[in-house]
Amino acid sequence: MNEISILRSLLTIVGVSVAIGLNAVFVVWLERKVAGHMQYRLGPTEVGPKGLLQTVADGLKLVSKQIIFPSAADKPIFALAPIICLVPVFVAILPVPFSDTLQGHELDIGLLLVIALGLLNTLGILMAGWGSDNKYALLGASRAIAQICAYKIPLLLCILPVIMLSGSFSLRGIVNAQDPVWYAVYQPVAFFIYIIAITMETNRSPFDFAEAESELVAGFHTEYSGMAFSLFFLAEYSYMFLASAIASILFLGGWHGPFLPGVVWMLLKIYFFLCLMMWFRWTFPRVRVDQMLNFGWKILLPFSLLNFLITAGVMAIL
Amino acid sequence: MNNYLKEIFNGLKSLVIGLKVTMTTMLTKSTTIEWPREAAPIPERFRGHIMLRKNEETGLSKCIACGSCVRACPSNCIQVKGAKPEGAKKKAPILFQLDFTKCSLCGLCVESCPVDAITFSRNYALAGPSSEPFATMNLLAGLASPFREESNEL
Amino acid sequence: MFDSQENSTYQLEPVEDNQFVLNLGPQHPGTHGVLRVILHMDGEYILTADPVLGYGHRMQEKIAENMPYTQILPYMARMDYLAALSFNQAWVCVVEKMCGYEVPRRAEYIRVLTTELNRISSHYLWFGAFLLDLGAFTPFLHAFADREMILDLLEEVTGSRLTYCYFRFGGVSSDVDDSFLQGVQDFVEHMRSHLKTYHELVTGNVIFQMRTKDVGVILPFDTWGYGLSGPVLRGSGEKYDVRISEPYSIYPELDFEIPVERDGDCLARYMVRMREVEESLNIIQQTLDKMPDGPVRSKVPKIIKPPAGEACMAVETPRGELMIHVVSDGTKVPYRVRYRVPSFGNLSVFSRLAKGQLLADALAVLGSLDLVIPEVDR
């Protein structure tokens, strides 16, 4: 390994950490602002200009707090769970190209890596629920496990047509394949189902029953406090960021766009998806677990399967 | 099959209508009053803690220490001691103490007062590090200064 | 329901394999107060639900036995803090009935006007809290923005925002002025047009419909047996409202309807309350139009000594029928006071409704009953 590649790796690690941290700080602030204004409120205003530093203040507060281990908790599992939740995002964000030049590491199977690592989130939730020795946490974790198949299969079936159209597993290849026309135009159904599926994947309302607070107090992270608690939040917002980045790469042409530099377009598209998810969260009631499973299996799956078959058929004919 | 599609369509439509409502709200002005940077309006009849009215002629309180407010109070939070100053015809209070920690602001003392000596203050910014000053609020001293409306401003 | 007289600590029933006991409360976001429900669960399904009461017991009935009649008045607002004026009204009415005090007509109109405003504010708080139980945050604050207008109006006339102590024997404590009446008029007009957004945001929403339709169905033959009243009763198709069946105050002079839904599920109870808001607006409009001039308080003695005997008075609070039974022995303190509160009866049906439900549904049902726990515990 030569010096340049070591330097490059170091830069990537620092860059990814800073990007994820800054993104979480900004998105939490944005979420609170959006929520506030949707509810005739203002959101944070006091700390920093327009309350921008509110998340930093909250983060400092959480870091300075004690992490309480329940006496009957399975301590190694309990302590590992937030880390298992967070670390895969750091790896999964590596193959994501933010512009023509800005990319952690180009992989031929980048998309596969992202999908595979996305599953580890659920493992973290299960560990948190199991390790806490809390009934609410366990119920939350079991809900997260129950929902995983209901959204993962439609999600994959929505990605398949894109892979077929572009003929590539590389995220860069997929972006380059949709140079004139976005896949959102060719694949509106897949695009739509993909948005719903990532809302489920990131445990966001209306599908947030793993942490449903009016039912399960705080769901899988009921027993977590201090930094461990904030790691779950960091993980949630990082997953949202990752899922939005993948969505804009798969369907909205990644960094392609007129006038502005590529990375600006990419961030605009990512924050479009993030705002969409916030908009959903602050509008809808939560669905019930069995209703969500029904929705996943009876509506999302047939439609995505049909969409996949039609795409395959049309491609075979042409 | 037709029903199935219709249900999905109607469901989606209702969700879009809901999204429209929140978006409209987002674009309208918020109702927040940024207290203490802005003043919150306080109505005329606002019930703060009770206070004694001043007799404009003498500069003392109007209270005649009859004790009807003490009897009217459901929570026993008023203490009054009266004495007849030398040369005066009426009794005057030498102690008028309110335990604001017990007070439920019902207004029965205000109504029971025969000389209209008690009234509600409009002071709402009452906060302190201990309950002590509120448990022994000396309303006779309050005539002069400490709990007044100006303390609403930070 | 759990009987505390036989055993001082709750004996858990033996739990079979694959089942567990979940302690819902006393501190839990879904119970809206210090209610504890012991749930026997099999996975997410509830086998039995036992509400445990008394965490907020304040001996209201015993306190009333040691207090002059006037001084009990402020305690009324502490039972049901969301509908303080209905409780105010029940107490002043029952004492007026015992002593035979006259109430000026303007005072009666003001009482009805403010009580109906209070009813709307209570229903809005319920609306928000119920949607919070279903996981939607925004309707809560939308309802609060409108509820804030009512609180501002009532603060202007009563001086307080939540635990009002406004009614007095033989009238109300102070008159209303024109700016208040104008404010109420503006509010009624605002609400009439703004209520549409509630239905757009919530009622039509497919997720809301799925969560509430056919959930927690109270069958008509259960209604009277469990002592249900108010919107919970009317959601099951029983047309019973104290304002109509045992009219008091000026309600007979007003023209309004009692909303009734037949389904008995959470959605029906929701619809009853939302339609009640419209009817309350209707009532308020009529009181504004007909508001007579005159005094607001008749002369009553300072120390109230009702003749020996008893009196009973029922009013319709936002949660249902509140009945106060007072026994007087001719002294200035009551011999015995008994409150029949609506939430207690409404809570008692919960064990039956929760049986076999999912946890999420049980909390939706609990929310739809609109319980105020200090009122249950008294």
Side-chain angles (χ1 to χ4, degrees), chain A residues 8-142:
Chain A
R8 197 189 140 83
S9 306
L10 274 177
L11 265 179
T12 313
I13 292 167
V14 172
V16 166
S17 311
V18 168
I20 284 180
L22 279 182
N23 168 66
V25 167
F26 180 69
V27 174
V28 172
W29 172 82
L30 189 68
E31 169 124 54
R32 292 175 66 174
K33 274 288 184 195
V34 167
H37 283 281
M38 281 182 178
Q39 301 168 344
Y40 298 107
R41 295 188 289 122
L42 293 174
T45 55
E46 289 296 318
V47 190
K50 297 268 172 199
L52 258 171
L53 298 177
Q54 183 69 49
T55 326
V56 179
D58 288 348
L60 282 176
K61 185 202 77 177
L62 281 171
V63 169
S64 66
K65 281 194 158 183
Q66 186 191 2
I67 301 176
I68 298 165
F69 284 81
S71 54
D74 198 336
K75 291 210 172 60
I77 293 183
F78 184 79
L80 262 178
I83 300 166
I84 296 283
C85 258
L86 182 60
V87 167
V89 196
F90 282 82
V91 186
I93 214 159
L94 280 180
V96 177
F98 286 90
S99 77
D100 208 8
T101 47
L102 189 65
Q103 186 182 18
H105 189 52
E106 169 61 18
L107 277 178
D108 285 347
I109 51 153
L111 190 54
L112 275 187
L113 181 79
V114 172
I115 293 165
L117 288 171
L119 277 165
L120 277 177
N121 186 20
T122 314
L123 179 64
I125 291 175
L126 176 63
M127 286 168 72
W130 181 256
S132 302
D133 188 47
N134 181 309
K135 288 163 192 165
Y136 292 117
L138 192 58
L139 276 177
S142 70

Side-chain angles (χ1 to χ4, degrees), chain B residues 14 25 45 47 71-72 111, chain C residues 71 142 157-159 168 175 206:
Chain B
S14 75
T25 318
R45 286 185 198 157
R47 292 186 186 176
R71 285 191 295 279
E111 279 172 26
Chain C
Q71 295 188 6
H142 277 227
V157 50
T158 67
R168 297 286 187 268
D175 200 359
V206 64

Side-chain angles (χ1 to χ4, degrees), chain A residues 35 38-41 135-136 139-140 142-143 205-206 208 213-217 281-291, chain C residues 20-24 28-30 44 132-138 141-142 145 194 205 207 210-211 215 358-361 363:
Chain A
M38 281 182 178
Q39 301 168 344
Y40 298 107
R41 295 188 289 122
K135 288 163 192 165
Y136 292 117
L139 276 177
S142 70
R143 286 177 174 192
S205 180
D208 62 340
E213 69 163 32
S214 55
E215 297 153 25
L216 301 182
V217 188
R281 172 167 179 188
W282 298 106
T283 307
F284 301 138
R286 184 186 307 122
V287 297
R288 218 165 55 202
V289 191
D290 57 325
Q291 286 167 349
Chain C
F20 63 98
V21 176
L22 188 68
N23 225 336
L24 195 79
H28 186 280
E44 287 243 8
L132 215 52
D133 284 344
L134 297 178
F137 292 83
T138 303
L141 281 132
H142 277 227
H194 200 240
N205 190 305
I207 302 174
M210 286 195 316
R211 285 297 305 274
V215 170
L358 284 167
L359 179 64
D361 277 345
L363 280 153

Side-chain angles (χ1 to χ4, degrees), chain C residues 223-363:
Chain C
T223 49
W224 296 109
Y226 277 100
L228 305 182
S229 56
V232 181
L233 176 66
R234 293 194 284 276
S236 295
E238 296 284 353
K239 192 168 182 175
Y240 177 80
D241 186 311
V242 186
R243 289 175 294 177
I244 293 286
S245 22
E246 296 171 48
Y248 55 96
S249 195
I250 50 154
Y251 282 110
E253 298 168 26
L254 302 173
D255 176 32
F256 62 100
E257 275 190 20
I258 301 300
V260 175
E261 296 277 333
R262 306 224 155 266
D263 299 340
D265 52 6
C266 292
L267 186 63
R269 295 191 276 276
Y270 168 88
M271 286 313 292
V272 165
R273 291 199 179 91
M274 293 316 275
R275 282 170 59 197
E276 265 187 34
V277 169
E278 281 168 44
E279 286 305 321
S280 287
L281 289 175
N282 213 342
I283 294 173
I284 291 169
Q285 185 61 56
Q286 290 177 45
T287 54
L288 283 175
D289 294 342
K290 291 182 182 171
M291 180 70 76
D293 284 330
V296 293
R297 209 168 164 181
S298 61
K299 270 259 175 274
V300 298
K302 244 190 167 157
I303 291 167
I304 288 162
K305 276 189 188 168
E310 53 189 309
C312 209
M313 177 79 205
V315 301
E316 183 78 15
T317 78
R319 265 154 284 283
E321 179 178 358
L322 161 73
M323 184 148 68
I324 300 186
H325 184 190
V326 186
V327 182
S328 160
D329 54 1
T331 58
K332 65 177 183 178
V333 294
Y335 177 74
R336 176 80 169 94
V337 179
R338 161 83 187 146
Y339 308 116
R340 185 264 177 229
V341 288
S343 290
F344 187 82
N346 293 353
L347 173 62
S348 65
V349 79
F350 176 67
S351 327
R352 186 189 174 92
L353 294 182
K355 207 166 278 180
Q357 298 267 20
L358 284 167
L359 179 64
D361 277 345
L363 280 153

